[in-house]
Amino acid sequence: MDTISTSSDTDDTCLRICELLSRSSPDPSTKVGALVLRNYKIIGSGYNDFPRNTNQDPLLWADREEKYRRVVHAEQNALIGINARNAILYTTMFPCSTCCGVIINAGIIQINTFLIPEAFALRWNMSIESSRSMLRSAGVEVKFHLVPSALVR
C-alpha cells in the first residue's frame, strides 16, 4: 500500500503542470507528463512521444508493440540535456523500471507522482516492483499524491 504524502502548493502546481504537459503527447492511450525542479526552478520538462524528426504516423501509435519500441517516455524526455543532480522529478505516472535507471543515474533525489491506479498496478506489477526496488536501494524518495478532482477525467 502506498502512503499518501501531504501536498504542498509547489507539489500541487508541479503535478498540475505535468498533467498539462501530458496533454501534448500524441499517444492516444497513455499520456504522461514530467517536470524536473531544482531550487524551485524548472530545469526540464517532457511528455511521452516518439523521438524528434522521426515518423509520427498515427498508425505507429495504434500498433502497441511498435509504439513500445519507439516511444521515449516523459521522464526520459524531461532529463535529456540537463544536469539533474540533486533535483526533484514530478510525473503523472509512476516510472517504469527503464526510466528508473535513467532517473537514478541522472541524480534525481525525489519523485513526486500520483497514486498508482489499481488497473495500472495489476497490468504492470513486475515493472512497478522492479522500479520500487531500484529506487529504494538507490535512496530515491518517492512521494505519492492524490489526483485532484479537477484532473480526474
Side-chain angles (χ1 to χ4, degrees):
M1 181 73 176
D2 297 319
T3 304
I4 300 169
S5 295
T6 304
S7 294
S8 68
D9 287 343
T10 300
D11 294 338
D12 287 343
T13 299
C14 289
L15 287 167
R16 286 175 190 270
I17 292 170
C18 287
E19 204 285 327
L20 290 171
L21 284 166
S22 75
R23 296 178 191 184
S24 296
S25 173
D27 188 335
S29 64
T30 307
K31 295 186 179 290
V32 182
L35 202 62
V36 182
L37 260 70
R38 186 187 305 110
N39 299 326
Y40 297 98
K41 292 182 181 162
I42 297 171
I43 60 171
S45 64
Y47 51 86
N48 54 319
D49 198 357
F50 291 158
R52 72 175 94 183
N53 302 322
T54 64
N55 187 349
Q56 300 287 321
D57 188 326
L59 292 175
L60 295 172
W61 286 104
D63 180 340
R64 188 171 295 277
E65 292 305 314
E66 187 63 27
K67 175 179 87 168
Y68 288 158
R69 285 190 290 268
R70 292 174 179 256
V71 73
V72 179
H73 290 184
E75 301 89 342
Q76 295 168 332
N77 275 325
L79 292 166
I80 291 172
I82 66 167
N83 173 358
R85 189 120 354 252
N86 298 315
I88 297 172
L89 175 74
Y90 289 85
T91 182
T92 55
M93 191 171 288
F94 186 73
C96 71
S97 54
T98 300
C99 285
C100 282
V102 174
I103 289 164
I104 291 164
N105 284 348
I108 294 292
I109 60 171
Q110 182 185 98
I111 297 171
N112 286 269
T113 189
F114 294 127
L115 281 173
I116 301 170
E118 187 175 339
F120 181 85
L122 290 172
R123 180 173 183 185
W124 297 105
N125 184 53
M126 290 178 61
S127 180
I128 290 169
E129 290 310 311
S130 293
S131 295
R132 288 180 193 274
S133 175
M134 292 167 64
L135 295 167
R136 190 172 29 256
S137 65
V140 177
E141 180 183 13
V142 179
K143 292 185 173 183
F144 291 97
H145 303 271
L146 292 174
V147 178
S149 58
L151 298 183
V152 176
R153 295 183 208 168

